[in-house]
Amino acid sequence: MKRSLLPILCCPVCKGDLELRVARENEEEIVEGTLECRACNVSYPIEEGIPDLLPREPDKG
Amino acid sequence: MNGCQDKIQQHYDEIADIYDHRYDMKRGKSYYGHISRHVMDSLPKRRKLLDLGCGTGLFVQRYIAAGGQAVGLDISRGMVQRACRRCATSSFTVGTAEVLPFRDASFDALSSLLAFSYLKNPDEMLAEAYRVLKPGGTAVICTLGKNVFTSGLPAVYQIGEAMKIRHVGMGAFSEHYYSREELYSLFSEAGFSGIHIKKCSFAHLNLIDPLYDIARKIEPFVEQNIPYLAYNILASGKKPDKKN
């Protein structure tokens, strides 16, 4: 996921802010990480450079 | 997600490898190219576009080749992986068109080709499309139209699925074939103005060869004079500019 996408992204469910956590990044993009919505307590994964922003169940714990 | 969405996601993940053989080679390319031209004609050029149901990025590729920027969204990860490879400079995400992960007023233009008919809640998709468009932005949707040929297709697809035929779009997905009136009313209820509906594409790529060639030749005539025979339907609308 390119950093340039971040400013227009929001949580698909509550439309609130997403917090980016980067696990691995190269020159072009964030390869592995998460986009977290604190309001919904949900983590949307970024895997192999692709964010998955399908609505999902809240994180446990 | 509901059951039908899961089924569509699974189908497109499974056929991602053969999808481009259908829409990016020979006849498929001519069919997809024809629809794309209709959509391009209705969109503002060289702006920021969101393509919903972007598949392998075929339309994003065309839009950026014409000087625009584009973001693509698709429910299938397999499709998005291919789109990223096709358009390395654009951004893509997995998601559903009915609940968009984009902030209000993020795009100048929005397109969706051959995906709208598979949505369970088309009204929600259009409400989301309206929300993410900037004032003055344009949405263009091309989907399956209701006509004498398409009315029998759901039955054919149910049989195809029962026979386990591995074919792009060949599945019983409860897809909907839209009439002009239905699309007009959906766009209108979502708040769009300046709504235009037109029928396009007569030569569908599932036709056998001699028929396809003939259909291609008479396509412009059909679109102009007997649009109720056209296979696809295109709707466009504008989000009104802010009042001064």
Side-chain angles (χ1 to χ4, degrees):
Chain A
M1 190 192 96
K2 290 170 188 63
R3 277 193 179 265
S4 59
L5 187 64
L6 197 58
I8 59 166
L9 287 183
C10 67
C11 172
V13 178
C14 75
K15 314 301 180 195
D17 292 345
L18 292 172
E19 202 172 299
L20 172 69
R21 288 179 195 278
V22 180
R24 193 157 65 88
E25 186 170 7
N26 63 26
E27 283 174 10
E28 282 125 40
E29 61 175 8
I30 297 142
V31 184
E32 306 286 335
T34 53
L35 291 158
E36 291 175 17
C37 174
R38 285 195 180 175
C40 299
N41 191 29
V42 166
S43 293
Y44 299 96
I46 303 168
E47 290 168 359
E48 296 172 328
I50 299 170
D52 181 346
L53 289 152
L54 281 168
R56 63 198 60 224
E57 293 299 311
D59 295 338
K60 291 192 177 95
Chain B
M1 281 196 299
N2 61 60
C4 200
Q5 268 192 343
D6 285 343
K7 193 170 165 184
I8 291 167
Q9 186 178 29
Q10 191 188 348
H11 172 76
Y12 281 96
D13 279 341
E14 281 170 5
I15 54 87
D17 58 331
I18 59 166
Y19 183 90
D20 283 346
H21 286 279
R22 179 169 166 91
Y23 288 126
D24 200 27
M25 292 173 89
K26 293 180 184 166
R27 183 201 284 194
K29 199 166 185 167
S30 122
Y31 169 70
Y32 194 88
H34 182 76
I35 289 170
S36 298
R37 276 191 295 279
H38 275 287
V39 175
M40 280 292 272
D41 287 349
S42 304
L43 283 171
K45 309 292 180 302
R46 291 179 288 281
R47 307 299 290 270
K48 189 167 186 180
L49 173 88
L50 173 62
D51 188 35
L52 297 177
C54 65
T56 62
L58 286 166
F59 189 72
V60 165
Q61 185 178 34
R62 279 170 184 267
Y63 193 78
I64 58 177
Q69 294 175 46
V71 173
L73 175 142
D74 202 282
I75 198 165
S76 158
R77 184 178 176 82
M79 289 283 164
V80 170
Q81 281 172 330
R82 278 164 178 77
C84 289
R85 285 204 286 274
R86 183 189 295 279
C87 308
T89 57
S90 295
S91 287
F92 295 91
T93 178
V94 175
T96 168
E98 292 166 4
V99 201
L100 292 176
F102 303 105
R103 294 185 187 278
D104 297 1
S106 293
F107 299 94
D108 305 299
L110 184 141
S111 59
S112 183
L113 283 74
L114 308 176
F116 193 71
S117 285
Y118 301 103
L119 296 174
K120 197 173 171 227
N121 303 302
D123 51 338
E124 288 176 18
M125 184 275 216
L126 284 172
E128 282 286 80
Y130 188 91
R131 181 182 66 79
V132 302
L133 277 172
K134 293 175 188 170
T138 301
V140 183
I141 279 157
C142 186
T143 193
L144 307 170
K146 194 179 268 178
N147 75 13
V148 288
F149 303 118
T150 58
S151 54
L153 281 175
V156 171
Y157 290 157
Q158 272 176 17
I159 295 165
E161 188 173 272
M163 292 174 68
K164 300 190 180 356
I165 297 174
R166 188 168 178 260
H167 191 288
V168 177
M170 175 72 85
F173 301 131
S174 320
E175 74 275 22
H176 188 79
Y177 296 81
Y178 282 94
S179 68
R180 281 172 175 270
E181 294 74 23
E182 282 174 298
L183 271 183
Y184 191 94
S185 123
L186 278 166
F187 265 68
S188 176
E189 279 161 25
F192 288 100
S193 62
I195 302 164
H196 287 285
I197 311 280
K198 67 175 178 179
K199 292 291 195 84
C200 64
S201 80
F202 175 59
H204 189 260
L205 76 171
N206 280 350
L207 292 172
I208 55 171
D209 276 326
L211 278 180
Y212 182 80
D213 293 340
I214 295 165
R216 279 290 290 165
K217 281 190 190 124
I218 64 172
E219 191 161 59
F221 180 83
V222 170
E223 287 175 348
Q224 197 68 42
N225 301 291
I226 32 177
Y228 67 89
L229 288 180
Y231 187 86
N232 292 108
I233 187 163
L234 183 145
S236 64
K238 198 171 170 183
K239 178 169 176 172
D241 281 305
K242 270 186 191 153
K243 288 192 179 86
N244 293 323

PDB file of all heavy atoms in Angstrom, chain A residues 7-37:
ATOM      1  N   PRO A   7      -4.081   9.354   3.286  1.00  0.00           N
ATOM      2  CA  PRO A   7      -4.918  10.506   3.646  1.00  0.00           C
ATOM      3  C   PRO A   7      -6.401  10.361   3.287  1.00  0.00           C
ATOM      4  O   PRO A   7      -7.245  11.001   3.910  1.00  0.00           O
ATOM      5  CB  PRO A   7      -4.291  11.669   2.867  1.00  0.00           C
ATOM      6  CG  PRO A   7      -2.912  11.228   2.570  1.00  0.00           C
ATOM      7  CD  PRO A   7      -2.949   9.740   2.437  1.00  0.00           C
ATOM      8  N   ILE A   8      -6.730   9.534   2.288  1.00  0.00           N
ATOM      9  CA  ILE A   8      -8.150   9.422   1.917  1.00  0.00           C
ATOM     10  C   ILE A   8      -8.808   8.168   2.509  1.00  0.00           C
ATOM     11  O   ILE A   8      -9.996   7.946   2.301  1.00  0.00           O
ATOM     12  CB  ILE A   8      -8.374   9.456   0.377  1.00  0.00           C
ATOM     13  CG1 ILE A   8      -7.621   8.325  -0.330  1.00  0.00           C
ATOM     14  CG2 ILE A   8      -8.007  10.811  -0.189  1.00  0.00           C
ATOM     15  CD1 ILE A   8      -8.099   8.122  -1.776  1.00  0.00           C
ATOM     16  N   LEU A   9      -8.037   7.345   3.243  1.00  0.00           N
ATOM     17  CA  LEU A   9      -8.630   6.134   3.819  1.00  0.00           C
ATOM     18  C   LEU A   9      -9.330   6.430   5.142  1.00  0.00           C
ATOM     19  O   LEU A   9      -8.911   7.303   5.896  1.00  0.00           O
ATOM     20  CB  LEU A   9      -7.551   5.073   4.069  1.00  0.00           C
ATOM     21  CG  LEU A   9      -6.969   4.347   2.864  1.00  0.00           C
ATOM     22  CD1 LEU A   9      -5.981   3.285   3.337  1.00  0.00           C
ATOM     23  CD2 LEU A   9      -8.041   3.706   1.988  1.00  0.00           C
ATOM     24  N   CYS A  10     -10.402   5.670   5.410  1.00  0.00           N
ATOM     25  CA  CYS A  10     -11.055   5.729   6.718  1.00  0.00           C
ATOM     26  C   CYS A  10     -11.625   4.344   7.019  1.00  0.00           C
ATOM     27  O   CYS A  10     -11.605   3.457   6.159  1.00  0.00           O
ATOM     28  CB  CYS A  10     -12.166   6.788   6.725  1.00  0.00           C
ATOM     29  SG  CYS A  10     -13.560   6.403   5.659  1.00  0.00           S
ATOM     30  N   CYS A  11     -12.119   4.170   8.223  1.00  0.00           N
ATOM     31  CA  CYS A  11     -12.751   2.897   8.577  1.00  0.00           C
ATOM     32  C   CYS A  11     -14.018   2.751   7.726  1.00  0.00           C
ATOM     33  O   CYS A  11     -14.842   3.669   7.685  1.00  0.00           O
ATOM     34  CB  CYS A  11     -13.101   2.889  10.064  1.00  0.00           C
ATOM     35  SG  CYS A  11     -14.095   1.460  10.529  1.00  0.00           S
ATOM     36  N   PRO A  12     -14.184   1.613   7.040  1.00  0.00           N
ATOM     37  CA  PRO A  12     -15.362   1.464   6.182  1.00  0.00           C
ATOM     38  C   PRO A  12     -16.670   1.490   6.975  1.00  0.00           C
ATOM     39  O   PRO A  12     -17.709   1.881   6.445  1.00  0.00           O
ATOM     40  CB  PRO A  12     -15.156   0.096   5.514  1.00  0.00           C
ATOM     41  CG  PRO A  12     -14.170  -0.628   6.368  1.00  0.00           C
ATOM     42  CD  PRO A  12     -13.314   0.428   6.995  1.00  0.00           C
ATOM     43  N   VAL A  13     -16.608   1.114   8.253  1.00  0.00           N
ATOM     44  CA  VAL A  13     -17.831   0.998   9.040  1.00  0.00           C
ATOM     45  C   VAL A  13     -18.210   2.328   9.704  1.00  0.00           C
ATOM     46  O   VAL A  13     -19.303   2.851   9.474  1.00  0.00           O
ATOM     47  CB  VAL A  13     -17.685  -0.122  10.098  1.00  0.00           C
ATOM     48  CG1 VAL A  13     -18.940  -0.221  10.956  1.00  0.00           C
ATOM     49  CG2 VAL A  13     -17.414  -1.458   9.405  1.00  0.00           C
ATOM     50  N   CYS A  14     -17.289   2.912  10.517  1.00  0.00           N
ATOM     51  CA  CYS A  14     -17.650   4.135  11.248  1.00  0.00           C
ATOM     52  C   CYS A  14     -17.143   5.400  10.554  1.00  0.00           C
ATOM     53  O   CYS A  14     -17.468   6.507  10.977  1.00  0.00           O
ATOM     54  CB  CYS A  14     -17.129   4.069  12.680  1.00  0.00           C
ATOM     55  SG  CYS A  14     -15.340   4.326  12.815  1.00  0.00           S
ATOM     56  N   LYS A  15     -16.354   5.233   9.492  1.00  0.00           N
ATOM     57  CA  LYS A  15     -15.765   6.338   8.708  1.00  0.00           C
ATOM     58  C   LYS A  15     -14.785   7.176   9.534  1.00  0.00           C
ATOM     59  O   LYS A  15     -14.444   8.303   9.157  1.00  0.00           O
ATOM     60  CB  LYS A  15     -16.839   7.257   8.081  1.00  0.00           C
ATOM     61  CG  LYS A  15     -17.993   6.527   7.399  1.00  0.00           C
ATOM     62  CD  LYS A  15     -17.574   5.614   6.268  1.00  0.00           C
ATOM     63  CE  LYS A  15     -18.763   4.916   5.620  1.00  0.00           C
ATOM     64  NZ  LYS A  15     -18.375   3.788   4.771  1.00  0.00           N
ATOM     65  N   GLY A  16     -14.356   6.624  10.657  1.00  0.00           N
ATOM     66  CA  GLY A  16     -13.401   7.329  11.508  1.00  0.00           C
ATOM     67  C   GLY A  16     -11.956   7.113  11.043  1.00  0.00           C
ATOM     68  O   GLY A  16     -11.690   6.387  10.079  1.00  0.00           O
ATOM     69  N   ASP A  17     -11.021   7.742  11.778  1.00  0.00           N
ATOM     70  CA  ASP A  17      -9.600   7.668  11.406  1.00  0.00           C
ATOM     71  C   ASP A  17      -9.032   6.257  11.571  1.00  0.00           C
ATOM     72  O   ASP A  17      -9.443   5.515  12.456  1.00  0.00           O
ATOM     73  CB  ASP A  17      -8.782   8.606  12.305  1.00  0.00           C
ATOM     74  CG  ASP A  17      -9.102  10.062  12.008  1.00  0.00           C
ATOM     75  OD1 ASP A  17      -9.703  10.325  10.948  1.00  0.00           O
ATOM     76  OD2 ASP A  17      -8.753  10.913  12.839  1.00  0.00           O
ATOM     77  N   LEU A  18      -8.075   5.943  10.739  1.00  0.00           N
ATOM     78  CA  LEU A  18      -7.345   4.684  10.854  1.00  0.00           C
ATOM     79  C   LEU A  18      -5.909   4.999  11.265  1.00  0.00           C
ATOM     80  O   LEU A  18      -5.312   5.949  10.772  1.00  0.00           O
ATOM     81  CB  LEU A  18      -7.330   3.937   9.506  1.00  0.00           C
ATOM     82  CG  LEU A  18      -8.672   3.396   9.015  1.00  0.00           C
ATOM     83  CD1 LEU A  18      -8.536   2.871   7.589  1.00  0.00           C
ATOM     84  CD2 LEU A  18      -9.200   2.295   9.932  1.00  0.00           C
ATOM     85  N   GLU A  19      -5.393   4.175  12.157  1.00  0.00           N
ATOM     86  CA  GLU A  19      -4.015   4.364  12.605  1.00  0.00           C
ATOM     87  C   GLU A  19      -3.138   3.325  11.920  1.00  0.00           C
ATOM     88  O   GLU A  19      -3.412   2.119  12.008  1.00  0.00           O
ATOM     89  CB  GLU A  19      -3.966   4.164  14.115  1.00  0.00           C
ATOM     90  CG  GLU A  19      -2.778   4.818  14.764  1.00  0.00           C
ATOM     91  CD  GLU A  19      -2.910   4.751  16.279  1.00  0.00           C
ATOM     92  OE1 GLU A  19      -3.876   5.312  16.821  1.00  0.00           O
ATOM     93  OE2 GLU A  19      -2.046   4.111  16.881  1.00  0.00           O
ATOM     94  N   LEU A  20      -2.113   3.808  11.230  1.00  0.00           N
ATOM     95  CA  LEU A  20      -1.240   2.888  10.486  1.00  0.00           C
ATOM     96  C   LEU A  20      -0.129   2.340  11.379  1.00  0.00           C
ATOM     97  O   LEU A  20       0.546   3.094  12.085  1.00  0.00           O
ATOM     98  CB  LEU A  20      -0.629   3.647   9.300  1.00  0.00           C
ATOM     99  CG  LEU A  20       0.461   2.913   8.507  1.00  0.00           C
ATOM    100  CD1 LEU A  20      -0.119   1.737   7.735  1.00  0.00           C
ATOM    101  CD2 LEU A  20       1.161   3.871   7.539  1.00  0.00           C
ATOM    102  N   ARG A  21       0.036   1.029  11.365  1.00  0.00           N
ATOM    103  CA  ARG A  21       1.189   0.395  12.013  1.00  0.00           C
ATOM    104  C   ARG A  21       1.954  -0.371  10.947  1.00  0.00           C
ATOM    105  O   ARG A  21       1.372  -1.233  10.277  1.00  0.00           O
ATOM    106  CB  ARG A  21       0.749  -0.566  13.113  1.00  0.00           C
ATOM    107  CG  ARG A  21       0.205   0.142  14.328  1.00  0.00           C
ATOM    108  CD  ARG A  21      -0.235  -0.847  15.387  1.00  0.00           C
ATOM    109  NE  ARG A  21      -1.072  -0.185  16.375  1.00  0.00           N
ATOM    110  CZ  ARG A  21      -0.609   0.531  17.398  1.00  0.00           C
ATOM    111  NH1 ARG A  21       0.700   0.641  17.590  1.00  0.00           N
ATOM    112  NH2 ARG A  21      -1.426   1.108  18.239  1.00  0.00           N
ATOM    113  N   VAL A  22       3.204  -0.016  10.789  1.00  0.00           N
ATOM    114  CA  VAL A  22       4.016  -0.621   9.726  1.00  0.00           C
ATOM    115  C   VAL A  22       4.896  -1.734  10.286  1.00  0.00           C
ATOM    116  O   VAL A  22       5.632  -1.521  11.242  1.00  0.00           O
ATOM    117  CB  VAL A  22       4.913   0.449   9.049  1.00  0.00           C
ATOM    118  CG1 VAL A  22       5.760  -0.179   7.948  1.00  0.00           C
ATOM    119  CG2 VAL A  22       4.060   1.579   8.477  1.00  0.00           C
ATOM    120  N   ALA A  23       4.784  -2.919   9.707  1.00  0.00           N
ATOM    121  CA  ALA A  23       5.669  -4.021  10.106  1.00  0.00           C
ATOM    122  C   ALA A  23       6.831  -4.119   9.121  1.00  0.00           C
ATOM    123  O   ALA A  23       7.956  -4.436   9.507  1.00  0.00           O
ATOM    124  CB  ALA A  23       4.893  -5.332  10.150  1.00  0.00           C
ATOM    125  N   ARG A  24       6.543  -3.849   7.849  1.00  0.00           N
ATOM    126  CA  ARG A  24       7.605  -3.907   6.830  1.00  0.00           C
ATOM    127  C   ARG A  24       7.272  -2.931   5.703  1.00  0.00           C
ATOM    128  O   ARG A  24       6.128  -2.881   5.235  1.00  0.00           O
ATOM    129  CB  ARG A  24       7.722  -5.333   6.288  1.00  0.00           C
ATOM    130  CG  ARG A  24       8.993  -5.577   5.465  1.00  0.00           C
ATOM    131  CD  ARG A  24       9.354  -7.056   5.438  1.00  0.00           C
ATOM    132  NE  ARG A  24       8.356  -7.869   4.756  1.00  0.00           N
ATOM    133  CZ  ARG A  24       8.347  -8.109   3.438  1.00  0.00           C
ATOM    134  NH1 ARG A  24       9.274  -7.587   2.664  1.00  0.00           N
ATOM    135  NH2 ARG A  24       7.417  -8.867   2.892  1.00  0.00           N
ATOM    136  N   GLU A  25       8.271  -2.175   5.286  1.00  0.00           N
ATOM    137  CA  GLU A  25       8.054  -1.173   4.242  1.00  0.00           C
ATOM    138  C   GLU A  25       9.272  -1.154   3.322  1.00  0.00           C
ATOM    139  O   GLU A  25      10.402  -1.325   3.785  1.00  0.00           O
ATOM    140  CB  GLU A  25       7.874   0.205   4.899  1.00  0.00           C
ATOM    141  CG  GLU A  25       7.500   1.306   3.940  1.00  0.00           C
ATOM    142  CD  GLU A  25       7.099   2.609   4.670  1.00  0.00           C
ATOM    143  OE1 GLU A  25       7.252   2.667   5.908  1.00  0.00           O
ATOM    144  OE2 GLU A  25       6.647   3.542   4.003  1.00  0.00           O
ATOM    145  N   ASN A  26       9.050  -0.982   2.021  1.00  0.00           N
ATOM    146  CA  ASN A  26      10.181  -0.781   1.119  1.00  0.00           C
ATOM    147  C   ASN A  26      10.086   0.616   0.498  1.00  0.00           C
ATOM    148  O   ASN A  26       9.274   1.426   0.933  1.00  0.00           O
ATOM    149  CB  ASN A  26      10.256  -1.909   0.072  1.00  0.00           C
ATOM    150  CG  ASN A  26       9.021  -1.946  -0.832  1.00  0.00           C
ATOM    151  OD1 ASN A  26       8.366  -0.927  -1.037  1.00  0.00           O
ATOM    152  ND2 ASN A  26       8.709  -3.117  -1.363  1.00  0.00           N
ATOM    153  N   GLU A  27      10.884   0.886  -0.519  1.00  0.00           N
ATOM    154  CA  GLU A  27      10.919   2.240  -1.084  1.00  0.00           C
ATOM    155  C   GLU A  27       9.576   2.669  -1.666  1.00  0.00           C
ATOM    156  O   GLU A  27       9.212   3.836  -1.668  1.00  0.00           O
ATOM    157  CB  GLU A  27      11.997   2.328  -2.167  1.00  0.00           C
ATOM    158  CG  GLU A  27      13.379   2.432  -1.594  1.00  0.00           C
ATOM    159  CD  GLU A  27      14.458   2.367  -2.661  1.00  0.00           C
ATOM    160  OE1 GLU A  27      14.124   2.432  -3.856  1.00  0.00           O
ATOM    161  OE2 GLU A  27      15.633   2.243  -2.273  1.00  0.00           O
ATOM    162  N   GLU A  28       8.828   1.695  -2.195  1.00  0.00           N
ATOM    163  CA  GLU A  28       7.572   2.036  -2.874  1.00  0.00           C
ATOM    164  C   GLU A  28       6.344   2.016  -1.971  1.00  0.00           C
ATOM    165  O   GLU A  28       5.443   2.824  -2.136  1.00  0.00           O
ATOM    166  CB  GLU A  28       7.323   1.055  -4.025  1.00  0.00           C
ATOM    167  CG  GLU A  28       8.126   1.335  -5.249  1.00  0.00           C
ATOM    168  CD  GLU A  28       8.931   0.117  -5.677  1.00  0.00           C
ATOM    169  OE1 GLU A  28       8.386  -0.988  -5.598  1.00  0.00           O
ATOM    170  OE2 GLU A  28      10.095   0.287  -6.045  1.00  0.00           O
ATOM    171  N   GLU A  29       6.315   1.040  -1.041  1.00  0.00           N
ATOM    172  CA  GLU A  29       5.043   0.859  -0.326  1.00  0.00           C
ATOM    173  C   GLU A  29       5.202   0.183   1.018  1.00  0.00           C
ATOM    174  O   GLU A  29       6.271  -0.341   1.343  1.00  0.00           O
ATOM    175  CB  GLU A  29       4.097   0.030  -1.193  1.00  0.00           C
ATOM    176  CG  GLU A  29       4.654  -1.348  -1.501  1.00  0.00           C
ATOM    177  CD  GLU A  29       3.689  -2.234  -2.268  1.00  0.00           C
ATOM    178  OE1 GLU A  29       2.636  -1.748  -2.697  1.00  0.00           O
ATOM    179  OE2 GLU A  29       4.002  -3.425  -2.405  1.00  0.00           O
ATOM    180  N   ILE A  30       4.084   0.198   1.774  1.00  0.00           N
ATOM    181  CA  ILE A  30       4.018  -0.568   3.019  1.00  0.00           C
ATOM    182  C   ILE A  30       3.657  -1.992   2.622  1.00  0.00           C
ATOM    183  O   ILE A  30       2.608  -2.229   2.013  1.00  0.00           O
ATOM    184  CB  ILE A  30       2.962   0.033   3.969  1.00  0.00           C
ATOM    185  CG1 ILE A  30       3.386   1.452   4.344  1.00  0.00           C
ATOM    186  CG2 ILE A  30       2.789  -0.830   5.208  1.00  0.00           C
ATOM    187  CD1 ILE A  30       2.246   2.408   4.443  1.00  0.00           C
ATOM    188  N   VAL A  31       4.537  -2.931   2.949  1.00  0.00           N
ATOM    189  CA  VAL A  31       4.349  -4.309   2.504  1.00  0.00           C
ATOM    190  C   VAL A  31       3.500  -5.093   3.502  1.00  0.00           C
ATOM    191  O   VAL A  31       2.570  -5.814   3.118  1.00  0.00           O
ATOM    192  CB  VAL A  31       5.716  -5.008   2.298  1.00  0.00           C
ATOM    193  CG1 VAL A  31       5.529  -6.417   1.733  1.00  0.00           C
ATOM    194  CG2 VAL A  31       6.599  -4.185   1.358  1.00  0.00           C
ATOM    195  N   GLU A  32       3.828  -4.953   4.780  1.00  0.00           N
ATOM    196  CA  GLU A  32       3.056  -5.644   5.820  1.00  0.00           C
ATOM    197  C   GLU A  32       2.743  -4.646   6.926  1.00  0.00           C
ATOM    198  O   GLU A  32       3.590  -3.813   7.281  1.00  0.00           O
ATOM    199  CB  GLU A  32       3.867  -6.806   6.437  1.00  0.00           C
ATOM    200  CG  GLU A  32       4.419  -7.822   5.447  1.00  0.00           C
ATOM    201  CD  GLU A  32       3.363  -8.757   4.862  1.00  0.00           C
ATOM    202  OE1 GLU A  32       2.320  -8.967   5.532  1.00  0.00           O
ATOM    203  OE2 GLU A  32       3.582  -9.247   3.733  1.00  0.00           O
ATOM    204  N   GLY A  33       1.551  -4.732   7.477  1.00  0.00           N
ATOM    205  CA  GLY A  33       1.178  -3.839   8.580  1.00  0.00           C
ATOM    206  C   GLY A  33      -0.301  -3.944   8.876  1.00  0.00           C
ATOM    207  O   GLY A  33      -0.974  -4.885   8.432  1.00  0.00           O
ATOM    208  N   THR A  34      -0.802  -2.977   9.622  1.00  0.00           N
ATOM    209  CA  THR A  34      -2.239  -2.947   9.904  1.00  0.00           C
ATOM    210  C   THR A  34      -2.745  -1.506   9.861  1.00  0.00           C
ATOM    211  O   THR A  34      -1.984  -0.556  10.058  1.00  0.00           O
ATOM    212  CB  THR A  34      -2.582  -3.506  11.309  1.00  0.00           C
ATOM    213  OG1 THR A  34      -1.792  -2.827  12.277  1.00  0.00           O
ATOM    214  CG2 THR A  34      -2.363  -4.994  11.407  1.00  0.00           C
ATOM    215  N   LEU A  35      -4.032  -1.387   9.611  1.00  0.00           N
ATOM    216  CA  LEU A  35      -4.740  -0.117   9.715  1.00  0.00           C
ATOM    217  C   LEU A  35      -5.765  -0.330  10.822  1.00  0.00           C
ATOM    218  O   LEU A  35      -6.662  -1.176  10.690  1.00  0.00           O
ATOM    219  CB  LEU A  35      -5.421   0.221   8.388  1.00  0.00           C
ATOM    220  CG  LEU A  35      -4.470   0.577   7.239  1.00  0.00           C
ATOM    221  CD1 LEU A  35      -5.158   0.374   5.892  1.00  0.00           C
ATOM    222  CD2 LEU A  35      -3.987   2.011   7.363  1.00  0.00           C
ATOM    223  N   GLU A  36      -5.612   0.405  11.929  1.00  0.00           N
ATOM    224  CA  GLU A  36      -6.458   0.130  13.091  1.00  0.00           C
ATOM    225  C   GLU A  36      -7.496   1.220  13.309  1.00  0.00           C
ATOM    226  O   GLU A  36      -7.180   2.407  13.258  1.00  0.00           O
ATOM    227  CB  GLU A  36      -5.582  -0.014  14.333  1.00  0.00           C
ATOM    228  CG  GLU A  36      -4.742  -1.278  14.259  1.00  0.00           C
ATOM    229  CD  GLU A  36      -3.758  -1.423  15.402  1.00  0.00           C
ATOM    230  OE1 GLU A  36      -3.937  -0.727  16.420  1.00  0.00           O
ATOM    231  OE2 GLU A  36      -2.821  -2.220  15.257  1.00  0.00           O
ATOM    232  N   CYS A  37      -8.729   0.762  13.559  1.00  0.00           N
ATOM    233  CA  CYS A  37      -9.792   1.687  13.944  1.00  0.00           C
ATOM    234  C   CYS A  37     -10.036   1.501  15.433  1.00  0.00           C
ATOM    235  O   CYS A  37     -10.531   0.456  15.861  1.00  0.00           O
ATOM    236  CB  CYS A  37     -11.076   1.420  13.155  1.00  0.00           C
ATOM    237  SG  CYS A  37     -12.437   2.455  13.752  1.00  0.00           S
TER     238      CYS A  37
END
